[in-house]
Amino acid sequence: MSGKVHVMDHPLVAHKLTILRDKETSVKDFRELVSEIGMLITYEATRDLPLTTKEVETPICKTTAPTLKGKKFAVVPILRAGLGLVDGVLRMVPGARVGHIGMFRDEETLEPHVYFCKMPKDIAERDILIVDPMLATGGSAEAAITEMKKRGCRNIKLMVLLAALEGIHRIQETHPDVDIYCGAVDDHLNEHGYIVPGLGDAGDRIFGTK
Ligand code: PRP
Ligand code: URA
């Protein structure tokens, strides 16, 4: 069975994504919106975090109330554009650890190459949320998930702002145990591997490099 695709069905995400798509949106606004949408998708991607209970004393009385069980969690941005999503995740899960995975894509073949990987020591024991704004051919995400599995990680989710069907199908085929959380699904890629209509080059727009 392939992993589930959770497409955000929320007016705030839809509205903010439309501003991201607009080529006139400034670098500052783009960066802020990536972080905000990241926070909103994290809300959905953490829906199954286990809870326990604890005793608290309200101003009225003592009670037993839910609290996070403190399961170990790590967010793993794919460099560089994934960095734009880290802050949004950490605002929702402040205790999360952060692992970095650096990847560049061959401009001809679009195939990714891992050039950097720095993870918390106990990464194999953690639930992993890999983050990247774009899932296009799916090559980068596939390689990132493979790297995490090589390090012993078993509970992995992928969070992206925009996904193309091609990328979704690739992850479902190569890593059927991984659920995908995305802001929206666009239907195809152009001849350069860009998502259409998409939002352009996410890294360039977050960091202002073009
Ligand atoms: C972008 C994006 C993904 C990748 C998606 O990164 O952030 O990592 O492309 O494409 P794929 O699904 O076809 O692999 P890019 O390689 O442009 O690097 P950057 O983050 O440094 O801009
Ligand atoms: N990477 C991007 O940044 N944008 C796309 O549309 C595809 C890959």
Side-chain angles (χ1 to χ4, degrees):
M1 209 176 74
S2 46
K4 281 198 194 125
V5 182
H6 305 257
V7 186
M8 293 311 104
D9 174 23
H10 196 290
L12 285 179
V13 174
H15 177 82
K16 288 173 193 290
L17 271 177
T18 300
I19 306 174
L20 278 191
R21 291 182 190 276
D22 186 339
K23 66 182 169 70
E24 301 300 338
T25 297
S26 69
V27 169
K28 172 181 173 289
D29 289 349
F30 192 93
R31 197 180 288 147
E32 284 173 5
L33 284 159
V34 166
S35 170
E36 284 172 19
I37 302 171
M39 194 166 72
L40 293 170
I41 305 180
T42 303
Y43 176 80
E44 206 50 46
T46 52
R47 189 174 277 288
D48 59 357
L49 279 183
L51 290 171
T52 182
T53 52
K54 69 180 226 182
E55 292 257 300
V56 286
E57 191 166 353
T58 76
I60 311 299
C61 67
K62 280 190 180 168
T63 186
T64 305
T67 182
L68 284 174
K69 212 167 182 175
K71 205 159 190 308
K72 290 180 164 187
F73 185 80
V75 54
V76 176
I78 300 179
L79 306 183
R80 100 202 123 128
L83 287 174
L85 289 159
V86 173
D87 163 64
V89 178
L90 291 179
R91 277 198 276 168
M92 291 290 96
V93 194
R97 300 294 192 265
V98 185
H100 294 85
I101 183 155
M103 214 166 272
F104 67 87
R105 287 183 306 151
D106 182 304
E107 286 188 4
E108 299 277 299
T109 65
L110 299 180
E111 281 308 303
H113 299 274
V114 177
Y115 67 85
F116 181 76
C117 193
K118 180 77 181 169
M119 294 294 150
K121 274 205 187 82
D122 59 354
I123 196 72
E125 295 159 35
R126 293 183 177 271
D127 287 354
I128 308 296
L129 184 64
I130 296 176
V131 298
D132 192 324
M134 310 302 272
L135 179 65
T137 65
S140 305
E142 180 193 341
I145 296 166
T146 300
E147 283 297 313
M148 300 313 295
K149 287 185 176 173
K150 274 193 219 160
R151 285 166 172 73
C153 301
R154 286 293 159 260
N155 193 354
I156 301 172
K157 291 176 178 170
L158 173 65
M159 175 172 120
V160 299
L161 300 185
L162 277 188
L165 283 174
E166 188 172 334
I168 289 176
H169 293 149
R170 183 160 174 174
I171 298 304
Q172 287 183 322
E173 275 159 29
T174 54
H175 297 293
D177 54 313
V178 173
D179 280 4
I180 301 171
Y181 293 81
C182 63
V185 178
D186 284 8
D187 68 350
H188 71 282
L189 302 177
N190 69 15
E191 66 277 22
H192 306 294
Y194 278 89
I195 298 178
V196 182
L199 50 74
D201 188 304
D204 282 339
R205 295 197 66 189
I206 292 170
F207 297 109
T209 40
K210 228 171 222 166

